[in-house]
mmCIF file of all heavy atoms in Angstrom:
data_model
loop_
_atom_site.group_PDB
_atom_site.id
_atom_site.type_symbol
_atom_site.label_atom_id
_atom_site.label_comp_id
_atom_site.label_asym_id
_atom_site.label_seq_id
_atom_site.Cartn_x
_atom_site.Cartn_y
_atom_site.Cartn_z
ATOM 1 N N LEU A 218 -14.433 53.408 -34.163
ATOM 2 C CA LEU A 218 -13.466 54.114 -35.000
ATOM 3 C C LEU A 218 -13.185 53.351 -36.294
ATOM 4 O O LEU A 218 -13.027 53.951 -37.361
ATOM 5 C CB LEU A 218 -12.173 54.329 -34.222
ATOM 6 C CG LEU A 218 -12.286 55.282 -33.027
ATOM 7 C CD1 LEU A 218 -10.985 55.309 -32.242
ATOM 8 C CD2 LEU A 218 -12.662 56.685 -33.486
ATOM 9 N N THR A 219 -13.162 52.034 -36.223
ATOM 10 C CA THR A 219 -12.960 51.227 -37.427
ATOM 11 C C THR A 219 -14.134 51.380 -38.379
ATOM 12 O O THR A 219 -13.950 51.531 -39.597
ATOM 13 C CB THR A 219 -12.773 49.748 -37.043
ATOM 14 O OG1 THR A 219 -11.644 49.615 -36.170
ATOM 15 C CG2 THR A 219 -12.559 48.886 -38.275
ATOM 16 N N ALA A 220 -15.355 51.344 -37.843
ATOM 17 C CA ALA A 220 -16.540 51.507 -38.689
ATOM 18 C C ALA A 220 -16.551 52.870 -39.372
ATOM 19 O O ALA A 220 -16.912 52.979 -40.553
ATOM 20 C CB ALA A 220 -17.798 51.318 -37.842
ATOM 21 N N ILE A 221 -16.164 53.904 -38.640
ATOM 22 C CA ILE A 221 -16.128 55.250 -39.224
ATOM 23 C C ILE A 221 -15.152 55.300 -40.393
ATOM 24 O O ILE A 221 -15.455 55.849 -41.459
ATOM 25 C CB ILE A 221 -15.750 56.283 -38.144
ATOM 26 C CG1 ILE A 221 -16.911 56.465 -37.155
ATOM 27 C CG2 ILE A 221 -15.385 57.622 -38.776
ATOM 28 C CD1 ILE A 221 -16.575 57.336 -35.956
ATOM 29 N N LYS A 222 -13.962 54.705 -40.202
ATOM 30 C CA LYS A 222 -12.974 54.707 -41.275
ATOM 31 C C LYS A 222 -13.470 53.908 -42.484
ATOM 32 O O LYS A 222 -13.328 54.338 -43.633
ATOM 33 C CB LYS A 222 -11.660 54.098 -40.765
ATOM 34 C CG LYS A 222 -10.948 54.899 -39.704
ATOM 35 C CD LYS A 222 -10.316 56.145 -40.267
ATOM 36 C CE LYS A 222 -9.382 56.808 -39.269
ATOM 37 N NZ LYS A 222 -10.013 57.127 -37.988
ATOM 38 N N LEU A 223 -14.047 52.734 -42.244
ATOM 39 C CA LEU A 223 -14.463 51.876 -43.348
ATOM 40 C C LEU A 223 -15.648 52.444 -44.114
ATOM 41 O O LEU A 223 -15.805 52.177 -45.309
ATOM 42 C CB LEU A 223 -14.810 50.487 -42.809
ATOM 43 C CG LEU A 223 -13.627 49.592 -42.473
ATOM 44 C CD1 LEU A 223 -14.071 48.399 -41.644
ATOM 45 C CD2 LEU A 223 -12.937 49.127 -43.752
ATOM 46 N N ALA A 224 -16.500 53.219 -43.446
ATOM 47 C CA ALA A 224 -17.717 53.730 -44.083
ATOM 48 C C ALA A 224 -17.413 54.674 -45.234
ATOM 49 O O ALA A 224 -18.295 54.955 -46.049
ATOM 50 C CB ALA A 224 -18.596 54.423 -43.048
ATOM 51 N N ARG A 225 -16.183 55.153 -45.317
ATOM 52 C CA ARG A 225 -15.810 56.024 -46.426
ATOM 53 C C ARG A 225 -15.622 55.260 -47.723
ATOM 54 O O ARG A 225 -15.646 55.856 -48.809
ATOM 55 C CB ARG A 225 -14.519 56.772 -46.078
ATOM 56 C CG ARG A 225 -14.640 57.651 -44.831
ATOM 57 C CD ARG A 225 -13.277 58.127 -44.356
ATOM 58 N NE ARG A 225 -13.395 58.892 -43.107
ATOM 59 C CZ ARG A 225 -12.367 59.270 -42.357
ATOM 60 N NH1 ARG A 225 -11.129 58.947 -42.743
ATOM 61 N NH2 ARG A 225 -12.558 59.958 -41.255
ATOM 62 N N ARG A 226 -15.416 53.932 -47.619
ATOM 63 C CA ARG A 226 -15.107 53.139 -48.813
ATOM 64 C C ARG A 226 -15.977 51.895 -48.973
ATOM 65 O O ARG A 226 -15.833 51.185 -49.957
ATOM 66 C CB ARG A 226 -13.636 52.692 -48.755
ATOM 67 C CG ARG A 226 -12.614 53.820 -48.649
ATOM 68 C CD ARG A 226 -12.501 54.596 -49.952
ATOM 69 N NE ARG A 226 -12.182 53.731 -51.074
ATOM 70 C CZ ARG A 226 -10.938 53.328 -51.374
ATOM 71 N NH1 ARG A 226 -9.922 53.688 -50.610
ATOM 72 N NH2 ARG A 226 -10.729 52.574 -52.429
ATOM 73 N N ALA A 227 -16.844 51.614 -48.010
ATOM 74 C CA ALA A 227 -17.625 50.377 -48.071
ATOM 75 C C ALA A 227 -18.978 50.598 -47.396
ATOM 76 O O ALA A 227 -19.198 51.596 -46.702
ATOM 77 C CB ALA A 227 -16.874 49.237 -47.396
ATOM 78 N N ASP A 228 -19.894 49.667 -47.625
ATOM 79 C CA ASP A 228 -21.160 49.642 -46.895
ATOM 80 C C ASP A 228 -20.907 48.924 -45.577
ATOM 81 O O ASP A 228 -20.494 47.761 -45.563
ATOM 82 C CB ASP A 228 -22.235 48.901 -47.696
ATOM 83 C CG ASP A 228 -22.607 49.641 -48.976
ATOM 84 O OD1 ASP A 228 -22.599 50.876 -48.967
ATOM 85 O OD2 ASP A 228 -22.878 48.967 -49.990
ATOM 86 N N VAL A 229 -21.151 49.585 -44.469
ATOM 87 C CA VAL A 229 -20.781 49.053 -43.165
ATOM 88 C C VAL A 229 -22.013 48.822 -42.309
ATOM 89 O O VAL A 229 -22.904 49.688 -42.219
ATOM 90 C CB VAL A 229 -19.808 50.005 -42.439
ATOM 91 C CG1 VAL A 229 -19.445 49.448 -41.058
ATOM 92 C CG2 VAL A 229 -18.546 50.204 -43.268
ATOM 93 N N VAL A 230 -22.058 47.651 -41.685
ATOM 94 C CA VAL A 230 -23.067 47.315 -40.682
ATOM 95 C C VAL A 230 -22.337 47.089 -39.363
ATOM 96 O O VAL A 230 -21.425 46.259 -39.288
ATOM 97 C CB VAL A 230 -23.862 46.053 -41.071
ATOM 98 C CG1 VAL A 230 -24.877 45.708 -39.979
ATOM 99 C CG2 VAL A 230 -24.555 46.241 -42.410
ATOM 100 N N GLY A 231 -22.710 47.839 -38.330
ATOM 101 C CA GLY A 231 -22.106 47.673 -37.020
ATOM 102 C C GLY A 231 -23.085 47.032 -36.058
ATOM 103 O O GLY A 231 -24.251 47.440 -35.988
ATOM 104 N N ILE A 232 -22.641 46.025 -35.331
ATOM 105 C CA ILE A 232 -23.511 45.287 -34.409
ATOM 106 C C ILE A 232 -23.015 45.513 -32.995
ATOM 107 O O ILE A 232 -21.842 45.335 -32.696
ATOM 108 C CB ILE A 232 -23.515 43.785 -34.738
ATOM 109 C CG1 ILE A 232 -23.936 43.578 -36.201
ATOM 110 C CG2 ILE A 232 -24.455 43.028 -33.798
ATOM 111 C CD1 ILE A 232 -23.738 42.158 -36.685
ATOM 112 N N SER A 233 -23.929 45.908 -32.106
ATOM 113 C CA SER A 233 -23.531 46.252 -30.742
ATOM 114 C C SER A 233 -24.581 45.814 -29.742
ATOM 115 O O SER A 233 -25.794 45.925 -29.992
ATOM 116 C CB SER A 233 -23.328 47.769 -30.619
ATOM 117 O OG SER A 233 -23.088 48.146 -29.291
ATOM 118 N N ALA A 234 -24.124 45.342 -28.571
ATOM 119 C CA ALA A 234 -25.042 44.986 -27.488
ATOM 120 C C ALA A 234 -25.587 46.216 -26.778
ATOM 121 O O ALA A 234 -26.542 46.104 -26.011
ATOM 122 C CB ALA A 234 -24.333 44.082 -26.482
ATOM 123 N N LYS A 235 -24.982 47.373 -27.026
ATOM 124 C CA LYS A 235 -25.437 48.623 -26.419
ATOM 125 C C LYS A 235 -25.948 49.550 -27.525
ATOM 126 O O LYS A 235 -25.534 49.437 -28.680
ATOM 127 C CB LYS A 235 -24.308 49.321 -25.657
ATOM 128 C CG LYS A 235 -23.431 48.396 -24.812
ATOM 129 C CD LYS A 235 -24.178 47.690 -23.705
ATOM 130 C CE LYS A 235 -23.216 46.787 -22.914
ATOM 131 N NZ LYS A 235 -23.921 45.933 -21.932
ATOM 132 N N PRO A 236 -26.810 50.519 -27.178
ATOM 133 C CA PRO A 236 -27.322 51.438 -28.196
ATOM 134 C C PRO A 236 -26.424 52.644 -28.414
ATOM 135 O O PRO A 236 -26.857 53.655 -28.974
ATOM 136 C CB PRO A 236 -28.678 51.858 -27.625
ATOM 137 C CG PRO A 236 -28.458 51.830 -26.153
ATOM 138 C CD PRO A 236 -27.508 50.685 -25.886
ATOM 139 N N GLY A 237 -25.181 52.562 -27.974
ATOM 140 C CA GLY A 237 -24.250 53.663 -28.134
ATOM 141 C C GLY A 237 -22.853 53.213 -27.777
ATOM 142 O O GLY A 237 -22.623 52.064 -27.370
ATOM 143 N N LEU A 238 -21.901 54.119 -27.948
ATOM 144 C CA LEU A 238 -20.520 53.853 -27.566
ATOM 145 C C LEU A 238 -20.416 53.928 -26.042
ATOM 146 O O LEU A 238 -20.505 54.997 -25.454
ATOM 147 C CB LEU A 238 -19.589 54.880 -28.205
ATOM 148 C CG LEU A 238 -18.139 54.887 -27.698
ATOM 149 C CD1 LEU A 238 -17.489 53.525 -27.896
ATOM 150 C CD2 LEU A 238 -17.333 55.983 -28.372
ATOM 151 N N LEU A 239 -20.242 52.774 -25.410
ATOM 152 C CA LEU A 239 -20.051 52.690 -23.963
ATOM 153 C C LEU A 239 -18.600 52.290 -23.746
ATOM 154 O O LEU A 239 -18.252 51.119 -23.806
ATOM 155 C CB LEU A 239 -21.005 51.672 -23.346
ATOM 156 C CG LEU A 239 -20.956 51.532 -21.826
ATOM 157 C CD1 LEU A 239 -21.399 52.821 -21.146
ATOM 158 C CD2 LEU A 239 -21.820 50.370 -21.360
ATOM 159 N N SER A 240 -17.756 53.280 -23.496
ATOM 160 C CA SER A 240 -16.327 53.057 -23.455
ATOM 161 C C SER A 240 -15.906 52.285 -22.211
ATOM 162 O O SER A 240 -16.523 52.387 -21.152
ATOM 163 C CB SER A 240 -15.591 54.398 -23.502
ATOM 164 O OG SER A 240 -14.199 54.221 -23.370
ATOM 165 N N GLY A 241 -14.815 51.542 -22.346
ATOM 166 C CA GLY A 241 -14.202 50.891 -21.196
ATOM 167 C C GLY A 241 -13.101 51.729 -20.572
ATOM 168 O O GLY A 241 -12.429 51.267 -19.652
ATOM 169 N N GLN A 242 -12.923 52.960 -21.061
ATOM 170 C CA GLN A 242 -11.838 53.802 -20.584
ATOM 171 C C GLN A 242 -12.224 54.584 -19.328
ATOM 172 O O GLN A 242 -13.387 54.809 -19.045
ATOM 173 C CB GLN A 242 -11.429 54.798 -21.673
ATOM 174 C CG GLN A 242 -10.949 54.168 -22.966
ATOM 175 C CD GLN A 242 -10.533 55.215 -23.968
ATOM 176 O OE1 GLN A 242 -9.667 56.043 -23.731
ATOM 177 N NE2 GLN A 242 -11.168 55.186 -25.132
ATOM 178 N N GLU A 243 -11.181 55.031 -18.604
ATOM 179 C CA GLU A 243 -11.302 55.983 -17.502
ATOM 180 C C GLU A 243 -12.308 55.524 -16.434
ATOM 181 O O GLU A 243 -13.253 56.234 -16.092
ATOM 182 C CB GLU A 243 -11.701 57.376 -18.034
ATOM 183 C CG GLU A 243 -10.780 57.903 -19.117
ATOM 184 C CD GLU A 243 -9.369 58.204 -18.634
ATOM 185 O OE1 GLU A 243 -9.069 57.970 -17.455
ATOM 186 O OE2 GLU A 243 -8.563 58.658 -19.461
ATOM 187 N N LEU A 244 -12.072 54.339 -15.881
ATOM 188 C CA LEU A 244 -12.972 53.803 -14.863
ATOM 189 C C LEU A 244 -13.069 54.732 -13.656
ATOM 190 O O LEU A 244 -14.156 54.900 -13.089
ATOM 191 C CB LEU A 244 -12.505 52.421 -14.422
ATOM 192 C CG LEU A 244 -13.307 51.761 -13.300
ATOM 193 C CD1 LEU A 244 -14.755 51.544 -13.717
ATOM 194 C CD2 LEU A 244 -12.658 50.441 -12.876
ATOM 195 N N GLY A 245 -11.969 55.333 -13.247
ATOM 196 C CA GLY A 245 -11.999 56.199 -12.074
ATOM 197 C C GLY A 245 -12.946 57.367 -12.239
ATOM 198 O O GLY A 245 -13.727 57.688 -11.332
ATOM 199 N N THR A 246 -12.912 58.026 -13.389
ATOM 200 C CA THR A 246 -13.825 59.130 -13.654
ATOM 201 C C THR A 246 -15.251 58.628 -13.754
ATOM 202 O O THR A 246 -16.189 59.276 -13.273
ATOM 203 C CB THR A 246 -13.425 59.855 -14.950
ATOM 204 O OG1 THR A 246 -12.052 60.220 -14.882
ATOM 205 C CG2 THR A 246 -14.269 61.101 -15.157
ATOM 206 N N ARG A 247 -15.451 57.492 -14.375
ATOM 207 C CA ARG A 247 -16.795 56.914 -14.510
ATOM 208 C C ARG A 247 -17.444 56.717 -13.144
ATOM 209 O O ARG A 247 -18.642 57.002 -12.969
ATOM 210 C CB ARG A 247 -16.697 55.585 -15.253
ATOM 211 C CG ARG A 247 -17.979 54.768 -15.245
ATOM 212 C CD ARG A 247 -17.830 53.515 -16.082
ATOM 213 N NE ARG A 247 -18.990 52.635 -15.947
ATOM 214 C CZ ARG A 247 -19.314 51.692 -16.809
ATOM 215 N NH1 ARG A 247 -18.577 51.502 -17.882
ATOM 216 N NH2 ARG A 247 -20.375 50.934 -16.618
ATOM 217 N N LEU A 248 -16.676 56.236 -12.169
ATOM 218 C CA LEU A 248 -17.238 55.955 -10.853
ATOM 219 C C LEU A 248 -17.400 57.211 -9.999
ATOM 220 O O LEU A 248 -18.373 57.334 -9.262
ATOM 221 C CB LEU A 248 -16.345 54.956 -10.124
ATOM 222 C CG LEU A 248 -16.312 53.543 -10.712
ATOM 223 C CD1 LEU A 248 -15.199 52.731 -10.077
ATOM 224 C CD2 LEU A 248 -17.654 52.852 -10.528
ATOM 225 N N SER A 249 -16.461 58.125 -10.096
ATOM 226 C CA SER A 249 -16.482 59.283 -9.202
ATOM 227 C C SER A 249 -17.257 60.459 -9.773
ATOM 228 O O SER A 249 -17.890 61.209 -9.023
ATOM 229 C CB SER A 249 -15.044 59.721 -8.887
ATOM 230 O OG SER A 249 -14.354 60.094 -10.062
ATOM 231 N N ARG A 250 -17.230 60.639 -11.094
ATOM 232 C CA ARG A 250 -17.912 61.769 -11.730
ATOM 233 C C ARG A 250 -18.651 61.273 -12.974
ATOM 234 O O ARG A 250 -18.261 61.571 -14.105
ATOM 235 C CB ARG A 250 -16.910 62.871 -12.091
ATOM 236 C CG ARG A 250 -16.036 63.312 -10.930
ATOM 237 C CD ARG A 250 -15.256 64.596 -11.228
ATOM 238 N NE ARG A 250 -14.509 64.557 -12.467
ATOM 239 C CZ ARG A 250 -13.299 64.031 -12.608
ATOM 240 N NH1 ARG A 250 -12.683 63.456 -11.568
ATOM 241 N NH2 ARG A 250 -12.681 64.054 -13.780
ATOM 242 N N PRO A 251 -19.714 60.488 -12.796
ATOM 243 C CA PRO A 251 -20.347 59.831 -13.944
ATOM 244 C C PRO A 251 -20.924 60.797 -14.981
ATOM 245 O O PRO A 251 -20.940 60.487 -16.170
ATOM 246 C CB PRO A 251 -21.433 58.961 -13.309
ATOM 247 C CG PRO A 251 -21.680 59.556 -11.962
ATOM 248 C CD PRO A 251 -20.369 60.105 -11.522
ATOM 249 N N HIS A 252 -21.397 61.954 -14.541
ATOM 250 C CA HIS A 252 -21.952 62.894 -15.517
ATOM 251 C C HIS A 252 -20.857 63.410 -16.435
ATOM 252 O O HIS A 252 -21.036 63.491 -17.666
ATOM 253 C CB HIS A 252 -22.643 64.050 -14.796
ATOM 254 C CG HIS A 252 -23.454 64.916 -15.714
ATOM 255 N ND1 HIS A 252 -22.900 65.959 -16.427
ATOM 256 C CD2 HIS A 252 -24.773 64.890 -16.055
ATOM 257 C CE1 HIS A 252 -23.842 66.544 -17.150
ATOM 258 N NE2 HIS A 252 -24.973 65.910 -16.948
ATOM 259 N N ASP A 253 -19.699 63.762 -15.867
ATOM 260 C CA ASP A 253 -18.570 64.205 -16.691
ATOM 261 C C ASP A 253 -18.100 63.089 -17.606
ATOM 262 O O ASP A 253 -17.793 63.314 -18.786
ATOM 263 C CB ASP A 253 -17.407 64.656 -15.799
ATOM 264 C CG ASP A 253 -17.713 65.906 -15.010
ATOM 265 O OD1 ASP A 253 -18.694 66.608 -15.355
ATOM 266 O OD2 ASP A 253 -16.992 66.183 -14.034
ATOM 267 N N TRP A 254 -18.035 61.876 -17.067
ATOM 268 C CA TRP A 254 -17.576 60.746 -17.859
ATOM 269 C C TRP A 254 -18.518 60.475 -19.030
ATOM 270 O O TRP A 254 -18.065 60.242 -20.166
ATOM 271 C CB TRP A 254 -17.468 59.512 -16.971
ATOM 272 C CG TRP A 254 -16.956 58.285 -17.662
ATOM 273 C CD1 TRP A 254 -15.660 57.914 -17.824
ATOM 274 C CD2 TRP A 254 -17.750 57.277 -18.297
ATOM 275 N NE1 TRP A 254 -15.588 56.727 -18.527
ATOM 276 C CE2 TRP A 254 -16.854 56.319 -18.822
ATOM 277 C CE3 TRP A 254 -19.129 57.089 -18.471
ATOM 278 C CZ2 TRP A 254 -17.299 55.187 -19.518
ATOM 279 C CZ3 TRP A 254 -19.570 55.968 -19.167
ATOM 280 C CH2 TRP A 254 -18.658 55.025 -19.680
ATOM 281 N N ALA A 255 -19.826 60.504 -18.772
ATOM 282 C CA ALA A 255 -20.795 60.176 -19.816
ATOM 283 C C ALA A 255 -20.731 61.160 -20.981
ATOM 284 O O ALA A 255 -21.008 60.797 -22.134
ATOM 285 C CB ALA A 255 -22.211 60.150 -19.230
ATOM 286 N N ARG A 256 -20.339 62.387 -20.702
ATOM 287 C CA ARG A 256 -20.244 63.393 -21.767
ATOM 288 C C ARG A 256 -19.304 62.931 -22.882
ATOM 289 O O ARG A 256 -19.538 63.204 -24.060
ATOM 290 C CB ARG A 256 -19.729 64.705 -21.168
ATOM 291 C CG ARG A 256 -19.515 65.830 -22.183
ATOM 292 C CD ARG A 256 -18.762 66.978 -21.524
ATOM 293 N NE ARG A 256 -17.438 66.514 -21.070
ATOM 294 C CZ ARG A 256 -16.654 67.228 -20.271
ATOM 295 N NH1 ARG A 256 -17.048 68.389 -19.794
ATOM 296 N NH2 ARG A 256 -15.462 66.750 -19.930
ATOM 297 N N ASP A 257 -18.247 62.218 -22.525
ATOM 298 C CA ASP A 257 -17.228 61.849 -23.499
ATOM 299 C C ASP A 257 -17.134 60.358 -23.777
ATOM 300 O O ASP A 257 -16.524 59.957 -24.782
ATOM 301 C CB ASP A 257 -15.854 62.338 -23.017
ATOM 302 C CG ASP A 257 -15.829 63.844 -22.807
ATOM 303 O OD1 ASP A 257 -16.235 64.567 -23.726
ATOM 304 O OD2 ASP A 257 -15.423 64.279 -21.713
ATOM 305 N N TYR A 258 -17.727 59.516 -22.921
ATOM 306 C CA TYR A 258 -17.509 58.074 -23.056
ATOM 307 C C TYR A 258 -18.793 57.243 -23.132
ATOM 308 O O TYR A 258 -18.711 56.026 -23.254
ATOM 309 C CB TYR A 258 -16.644 57.579 -21.893
ATOM 310 C CG TYR A 258 -15.257 58.179 -21.878
ATOM 311 C CD1 TYR A 258 -14.906 59.182 -20.989
ATOM 312 C CD2 TYR A 258 -14.296 57.744 -22.790
ATOM 313 C CE1 TYR A 258 -13.635 59.737 -20.994
ATOM 314 C CE2 TYR A 258 -13.022 58.287 -22.801
ATOM 315 C CZ TYR A 258 -12.698 59.283 -21.905
ATOM 316 O OH TYR A 258 -11.437 59.829 -21.915
ATOM 317 N N TRP A 259 -19.947 57.866 -23.035
ATOM 318 C CA TRP A 259 -21.213 57.149 -23.226
ATOM 319 C C TRP A 259 -22.018 57.964 -24.220
ATOM 320 O O TRP A 259 -22.711 58.918 -23.873
ATOM 321 C CB TRP A 259 -21.930 56.967 -21.900
ATOM 322 C CG TRP A 259 -23.395 56.587 -21.933
ATOM 323 C CD1 TRP A 259 -24.390 57.077 -21.147
ATOM 324 C CD2 TRP A 259 -24.032 55.623 -22.792
ATOM 325 N NE1 TRP A 259 -25.594 56.508 -21.462
ATOM 326 C CE2 TRP A 259 -25.408 55.593 -22.464
ATOM 327 C CE3 TRP A 259 -23.573 54.789 -23.806
ATOM 328 C CZ2 TRP A 259 -26.326 54.770 -23.113
ATOM 329 C CZ3 TRP A 259 -24.484 53.965 -24.466
ATOM 330 C CH2 TRP A 259 -25.846 53.961 -24.107
#
Side-chain angles (χ1 to χ4, degrees):
L218 293 174
T219 301
I221 289 173
K222 294 288 191 304
L223 283 166
R225 300 168 184 170
R226 302 289 304 278
D228 294 326
V229 179
V230 178
I232 304 170
S233 174
K235 318 298 180 188
L238 169 58
L239 183 64
S240 176
Q242 300 181 58
E243 306 294 2
L244 177 61
T246 307
R247 170 176 173 160
L248 292 169
S249 61
R250 307 192 308 276
H252 191 275
D253 293 344
W254 182 87
R256 177 191 61 191
D257 302 309
Y258 297 104
W259 164 222

